[in-house]
């Protein structure tokens, strides 16, 4: 487009390079200078063309477009042509748009000159533009308009005078304040607030205070009154603390509402302290606001925050406790521990949070000291806090409590040990586990142990500790800590776990097999295979075989993985393990694996799993060998019935883009919606009239197109569905597939039977979905339901034969 | 510093405010039960609201629906009283009115409940003193002007994105909300919803879990108001019950041409509708110095509009790209990918992933800095209306994000590099680009 020429890509490409590489190069500077010259020439040419358009007999849209471009390319040269249009409503608006943005005094002068000749809305628009230009020279022209009979014009004048500001404008607005019509007054008052802000910013606090005091009266609307009060607060620094403290304690709700916001945004220590001094006279919502403001004072606010933490109001109390986390010191610990151990959920949570965050000199020592004397509930909270604080140096204290209780403290200590996961705690935790008297007592210990093993940087050392501890344990206890070995997975851990499979205790052996199955790599697979073949009983053999197949999947080397799965498969006698092995083979994308799974296609008991595996492998191989993929797809389609596998096999044939024509002839009906179902997903399964037999449906022809734009047919609709219908004339009975794309969800029926459903929120892309269908010779009715959640709404469909190619002689038709 | 923004402040409402009580007692169309006289929640516990714009998003908020996260909508909430519904389409407002009245009839056990007013002109809603807050779900060009008018009328505002179409509109919005002491929340609900995925990404990045943040991939172009054409003479009959002139509002007049959804065709370059969600999360996470300049560059290797790319360089060194991270699908559905010196995190509504994976497994520590926490976007708005705390996406935050989008959109329109001064809200040394920071409303509408 011509408008872009003057800042086209070449210049844009240089400037980023300068910024991103951070260095100037002489050549680039020279090039940039040349570009600037070229740009200016292009800009001048373009401006001349645009001016010519304005001065021609072009239509309104063309002239408006020229104005729009002149907004950003226009120079002083274009001002007269734009000014000439200002008296007309539509082009005048566009011309004003151009002139308002131009930083030349000539543009301002043109707007002022037009003002005298204009009237009505055109004049009001000119006044508005003058205001945005903050054209002080226009004030004498605007002031008389304030008292005119046209309230729209008077309001525009008031608005612009407020933006321009200054003595003359302010005086005019003050004079109009109580004299203007009610329709104009809100704008006058808003403009006076604006003038007051300008005075405050300029340091004339006295002038601003006077303006705001005059507006802070019940004579005006509540919103003006409280805004004036706010202006006063910002203008009059001396009175500010008293004003806010009074407002926060006031029964005047609108005033207090604004004060609650202002006290937070002010960040004014003097004001905050004044409010704190009135603490007891403040209602709870004001106390909360003051608390928020106090946080900005830092430690100076601590006495007030501590006092607030004693509040009987739970929310104030909770907020103060939270604040203690930021501002508190070691002296806050007893109160926080007490609050964490008792009271309402919100205050407990706040106190716990604060205990976790409390920082500063001596806090840790004070916390540990208080631990020794605190009552049980508080002790538990302090132990919990040690974990939350990430205090790894306190591990010994925690282990001691974990070993000796009492119960709340024991559980809190174990939870903290879990969070801290200190390597040195592994042996004492194993000892605690060994002496635990019940599963419920042992479980939290094991959780902590898992965390320690997981976090351990020295897995070898941790594994040695576990193995040594296990040697001291009886079989029943060993069973419980055995899973730690899989977490550590070192050679020593593997040896220990494999050794456990040879233990005389059958339960321990079973647990060891399960632990080996959870191993993070395939290292235990040979031992599991051995057990699968020679295990003492069928149950163990089955467990070991399943474990071996699962572990095979963790072998990164494809050839080794294939060998492992094959060995396991050979050992499998039961279909379920054979199916599991097929699942693993499907993850091995080699021709060898493919050949193995294809053999199982003929076995009716394994056909679906074999088909899935074959499709999975062929999908990976299809890029390199599309012919093989097509052959596999044909074999799978011959044996498998599962919809998902059939769809994937169809997709494998992969020739959908061979120019099969889209169905272009459709009838449409809709949109349909139902109260309470407000999005695409919700309407998908609601059966509207076209899905019901015997319902009257008004089908209308759709303009022919490859992709049917339902949004254009039914604009501004959401949470609804439309239906498309066509008649497919097939040359013969045949198997085929309908390829669908939709925005959003789509459901398809062929002769009344659902052949596809995808309830989804998406954009349309051709051939997103594939639905296998059987066409009969002659007419077949295809109906689509397309849902709409928002944004685009469209659908497309085409039909291909089993070879993925268009079906010769097939056509779609509707009665138009 | 961590602030206690999470607590429920409802209990702190003064129940004795004479002024408020008088305001509520004034309208005669509210049944006594709605005023809490029949054992229902007392009015001071409820926020009186008006709903303006009743398309998919607006009616979803009101009555329940996707992307609004309020089961049954605001009308089902016990802490909200819907007093008015408004839309320039007659059928929409009447449907919403009937549904709300039906809900309240059941709730207050009053078969003939008719306390919900249906308005064509939003100014009727803003004129009602008892309405405390409005929810705006509007065509793009109306969002900022109407939010500003609502703030002037003393209403708190929840506004769906895009919240402004020009920088001037945004600035005016911020100043007006401050001046009138109003609570405002932008509808960028990714900050609060989606099980906290976006907040988690933000906090992990801010706490250095991916090392120093170097790059962010936004997966979306920014956009700006850049009307081509400015006018049109294509004309179709205005549907019955549709107030076309009011829908158009401050936009240049043109005859109805059959399209009046979220925006007029051709009014915008790039993406101003979907990008606010994601650029909002990006600004939240990059956490730039709000006063520092931003460098914006334009790149287009394909010379087609859709191949354009915008880059932002922030003062902390982070560079934001409008493209997706190569090979990373998460973020493509709408989200971002944050790349640091020690890893990356990609997040979208349904997924959050990291590389290395351990980044997501290590929980945040008590000493880590936290982002503003809210688990319900609507709930946060209502809570802040009561407490007067800033919302999770207050006007300053929302406008900072919207400005980032708009300046990128202007770079896209002018196909050039720009430098942005957020304090002055203008481009540095580029008067031509500065001319695109505002537009001229059609009278009688003004900002």
């Amino acid at each position: 487009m011509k408008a872009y020429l003057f800042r086209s890509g070449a210049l844009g490409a240089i400037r980023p390079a300068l910024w991103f590489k951070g260095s100037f190069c002489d050549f680039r500077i020279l090039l940039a200078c040349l570009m600037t010259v070229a740009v200016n020439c292009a800009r001048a040419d373009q401006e001349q063309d645009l001016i010519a358009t304005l001065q021609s007999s072009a239509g309104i849209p063309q002239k408006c477009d020229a104005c729009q471009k002149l907004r950003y390319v226009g120079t002083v040269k274009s001002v007269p042509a734009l000014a000439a249009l200002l008296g007309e409503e539509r082009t005048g608006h566009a011309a004003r748009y151009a002139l308002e943005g131009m930083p030349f005094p000539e543009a301002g002068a043109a707007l002022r000159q037009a003002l005298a000749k204009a009237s009505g809305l055109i004049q009001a628009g000119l006044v508005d533009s003058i205001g945005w230009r903050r054209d002080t020279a226009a004030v004498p022209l605007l002031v008389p308009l304030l008292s005119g009979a046209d309230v729209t014009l008077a309001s525009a004048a008031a608005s612009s005078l407020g933006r321009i500001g200054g003595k003359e404008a302010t005086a005019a607005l003050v004079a109009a304040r109580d004299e203007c019509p009610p329709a104009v007054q809100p704008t006058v008052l808003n403009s006076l607030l604006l003038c007051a802000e300008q005075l405050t910013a300029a340091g004339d606090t006295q002038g601003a205070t006077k303006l705001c005091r005059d507006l802070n009266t019940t004579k005006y609307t509540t919103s003006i009154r409280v805004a004036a009060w706010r202006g006063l607060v910002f203008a009059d620094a001396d009175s500010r603390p008293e004003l806010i403290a009074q407002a926060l304690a006031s029964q005047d709700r609108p005033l207090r509402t604004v004060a609650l916001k202002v006290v937070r945004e002010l960040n004014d220590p003097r004001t905050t302290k004044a409010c704190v001094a009135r603490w007891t006279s403040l209602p709870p919502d004001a106390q909360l606001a003051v608390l928020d403001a106090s946080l900005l004072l830092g430690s100076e606010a601590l006495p007030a925050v501590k006092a607030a933490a004693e509040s009987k109001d739970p929310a104030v109390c909770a907020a103060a406790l939270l604040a203690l986390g930021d501002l508190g010191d070691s002296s806050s610990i007893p109160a926080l521990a007490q609050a964490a151990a008792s009271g309402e959920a919100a205050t407990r949570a706040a106190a716990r949070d604060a205990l976790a965050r409390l920082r500063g000199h001596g806090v840790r020592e004070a916390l540990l000291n208080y631990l020794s004397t605190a009552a049980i509930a508080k002790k538990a909270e302090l132990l919990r806090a040690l974990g939350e604080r990430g205090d790894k140096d306190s591990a010994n204290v925690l282990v001691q409590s974990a070993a000796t209780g009492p119960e709340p403290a024991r559980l809190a200590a174990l939870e903290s040990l879990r969070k801290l996961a200190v390597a040195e705690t592994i042996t004492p935790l194993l000892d605690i586990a060994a002496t635990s008297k019940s599963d419920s007592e042992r479980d939290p210990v094991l959780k902590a142990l898992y965390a320690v093993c997981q976090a351990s940087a020295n897995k070898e050392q941790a594994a040695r500790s576990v193995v040594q501890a296990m040697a001291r344990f009886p079989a029943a206890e060993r069973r419980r800590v055995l899973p730690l070995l899989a977490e550590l997975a070192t050679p020593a851990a593997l040896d220990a776990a494999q050794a456990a499979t040879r233990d005389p205790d059958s339960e321990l052996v079973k647990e060891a097999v399960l632990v080996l199955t959870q191993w993070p790599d395939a290292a235990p697979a040979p031992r599991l295979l051995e057990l699968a073949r020679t295990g003492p009983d069928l149950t163990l053999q089955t467990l070991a075989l399943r474990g071996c197949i699962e572990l095979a999947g963790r072998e990164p080397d494809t050839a080794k993985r294939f060998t492992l799965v094959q060995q396991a498969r050979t050992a499998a006698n039961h279909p379920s393990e054979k199916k599991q092995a097929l699942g693993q083979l499907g993850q091995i994308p080699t021709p060898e694996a493919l050949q193995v799974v294809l053999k199982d296609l003929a076995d009716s008991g394994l056909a679906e799993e074999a088909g899935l595996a074959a499709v999975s492998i062929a999908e990976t191989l299809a890029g390199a060998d599309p012919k093989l993929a097509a052959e596999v797809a044909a074999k799978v389609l011959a044996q498998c019935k599962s919809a998902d596998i059939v769809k994937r096999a169809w997709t494998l044939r992969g020739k959908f883009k061979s120019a099969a024509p889209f169905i272009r002839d459709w009838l449409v009906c809709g949109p349909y919606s139902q109260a309470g179902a407000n999005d695409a997903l919700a309407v998908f399964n609601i059966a509207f009239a076209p899905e019901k037999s015997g319902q009257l449906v008004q089908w209308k022809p759709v303009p022919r197109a490859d992709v049917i734009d339902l949004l254009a047919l039914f604009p501004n609709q959401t949470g609804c569905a439309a239906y498309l219908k066509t008649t497919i004339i097939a040359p013969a009975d045949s198997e085929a597939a309908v390829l669908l794309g939709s925005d959003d969800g789509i459901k398809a029926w062929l002769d009344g039977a659902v052949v596809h459903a995808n309830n989804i929120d998406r954009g349309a892309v051709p051939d997103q979905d594939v639905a296998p269908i059987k066409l009969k010779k002659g007419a077949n009715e295809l109906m689509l339901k397309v849902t709409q959640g928002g944004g685009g709404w469209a659908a497309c469909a085409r039909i291909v034969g089993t070879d993925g190619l268009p079906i010769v002689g097939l056509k779609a038709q509707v009665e138009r | 510093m961590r602030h206690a923004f999470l607590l429920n402040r409802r209990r702190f409402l003064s129940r004795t405010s004479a002024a408020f009580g008088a305001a509520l007692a004034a309208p005669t169309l509210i049944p006594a039960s709605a005023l809490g006289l029949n054992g229902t929640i007392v009015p001071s516990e409820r926020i009186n609201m008006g709903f303006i714009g009743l398309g998919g998003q607006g009616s979803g908020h009101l009555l329940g629906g996707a992307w609004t996260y309020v089961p049954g909508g605001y009308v089902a909430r016990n802490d909200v009283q819907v007093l008015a519904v408004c839309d320039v389409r007659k059928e929409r407002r009447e449907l919403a009115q009937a549904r709300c009245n039906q809900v309240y009839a059941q709730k207050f056990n009053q078969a003939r409940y008719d306390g919900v007013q249906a308005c064509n002109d939003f100014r009727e809603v803003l004129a009602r003193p008892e309405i405390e807050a409005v929810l705006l779900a509007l065509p793009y060009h109306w969002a900022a002007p109407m939010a500003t008018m609502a703030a002037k009328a003393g209403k708190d505002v929840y506004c769906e994105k895009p919240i402004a179409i020009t920088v001037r509109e945004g600035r005016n919005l911020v100043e007006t909300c401050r001046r009138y002491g109003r609570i405002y929340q932008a509808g960028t609900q990714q900050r609060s919803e989606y099980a906290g995925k976006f907040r988690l990404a933000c906090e992990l990045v801010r706490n250095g879990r991916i090392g120093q943040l170097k790059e962010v991939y936004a997966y979306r172009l920014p956009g700006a108001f850049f009307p081509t054409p400015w006018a049109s003479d294509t004309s179709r009959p205005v549907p019955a019950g549709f107030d076309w002139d009011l829908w158009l509002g401050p936009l240049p007049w043109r005859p109805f041409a059959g399209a009046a959804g979220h925006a007029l065709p051709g009014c915008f370059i790039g993406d101003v509708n979907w990008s606010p969600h994601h650029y909002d999360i990006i600004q939240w996470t990059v956490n730039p110095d709000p006063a520092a300049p931003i460098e914006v560059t334009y790149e287009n290797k394909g010379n087609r509009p859709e191949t354009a790319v915008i880059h932002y360089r922030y003062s902390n060194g982070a560079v934001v790209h409008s493209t997706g991270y190569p090979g990373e699908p998460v973020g493509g559905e709408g989200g971002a990918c944050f790349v640091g010196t020690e890893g990356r995190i990609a997040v979208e509504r349904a997924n959050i992933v990291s590389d290395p994976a351990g980044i997501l497994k290590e929980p945040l520590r008590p000493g880590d800095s936290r982002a503003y926490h809210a688990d319900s976007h609507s709930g946060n708005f209502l809570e802040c209306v009561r407490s007067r705390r800033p919302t999770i996406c207050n006007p300053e935050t929302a406008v900072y994000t919207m400005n980032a989008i708009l300046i990128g959109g202007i770079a896209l329109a002018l196909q050039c590099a720009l430098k942005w001064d957020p304090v002055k809200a203008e481009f540095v040394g580029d008067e031509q680009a500065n001319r695109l920071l505002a537009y001229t409303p059609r009278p009688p509408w003004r900002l």
Side-chain angles (χ1 to χ4, degrees), chain A residues 395-474:
Chain A
N396 286 341
V397 176
L398 292 166
V399 165
Q400 200 180 346
S401 291
T404 58
E407 189 63 3
R410 192 183 81 89
L411 291 173
L414 284 167
E415 176 60 14
S416 286
L417 285 167
R418 187 188 68 77
K419 282 191 174 139
L420 296 174
V422 177
E424 289 73 25
T425 59
I426 196 163
T427 303
L429 281 169
L430 282 163
D431 290 338
I432 296 171
T435 54
S436 296
K437 293 180 184 62
S438 65
D439 284 349
S440 64
E441 194 178 322
R442 190 179 298 105
D443 277 351
V445 187
L446 290 176
K447 279 183 186 164
L449 272 168
Y450 283 126
V452 175
C453 290
Q454 199 168 33
S456 172
N458 188 344
K459 304 274 186 203
E460 298 287 351
Q461 173 64 40
R464 274 197 297 277
S465 301
V466 174
V467 171
Q468 283 166 11
M470 280 174 62
R472 304 198 304 269
F473 293 175

Side-chain angles (χ1 to χ4, degrees), chain A residues 6-7 20 65 71-72 74 90 93 96 100 190 194 197 230 264 284 292 313 315 326 353 388 678, chain B residues 2 12 64 168 178-180 230 233 261 313 366 387-389 414-415 418 430 432 435 438 440:
Chain A
F6 67 99
R7 299 190 82 149
F20 278 99
D65 281 355
R71 164 91 180 195
Y72 55 96
R90 289 183 72 191
H93 182 202
R96 188 159 59 79
E100 185 186 304
N190 180 67
L194 223 72
E197 286 172 14
R230 185 185 175 280
R264 289 178 169 109
D292 285 348
D313 187 285
D326 292 308
D353 188 293
E388 293 287 347
N678 291 320
Chain B
R2 188 183 169 111
F12 299 116
R168 178 190 282 175
R178 278 189 194 147
R179 185 177 307 135
Y180 287 88
W230 174 270
D233 274 346
R313 178 182 282 275
S387 71
R388 314 312 291 175
R389 282 180 161 150
L414 298 179
Q415 302 185 17
L418 297 167
D430 199 322
Q432 192 181 29
R435 293 194 208 181
T440 307

Side-chain angles (χ1 to χ4, degrees), chain B residues 294-307:
Chain B
I294 305 169
E295 294 170 354
V296 188
T297 50
Y298 169 86
E299 179 194 350
N300 196 340
K301 290 178 181 164
N303 287 324
R304 287 175 289 123
E306 60 271 23
T307 54

Side-chain angles (χ1 to χ4, degrees), chain A residues 672-673 677 679-686 688 719-721 785 787-788:
Chain A
Y672 292 94
S673 58
D679 60 47
L681 303 182
V683 296
F684 190 79
N685 288 318
I686 298 172
F688 297 111
C720 60
K785 176 184 191 177
T787 59
Q788 162 67 328

Side-chain angles (χ1 to χ4, degrees), chain B residues 2 8 39 44 130 137 156 171 179 191 219 221 233 285 347 352 365 383 411:
Chain B
R2 188 183 169 111
N8 187 334
S44 59
E130 71 276 27
D156 295 326
R171 190 169 190 160
R179 185 177 307 135
R191 285 184 177 238
Y219 293 82
L221 273 174
D233 274 346
T285 307
V347 61
I352 178 166
R365 292 175 285 263
E383 192 175 288

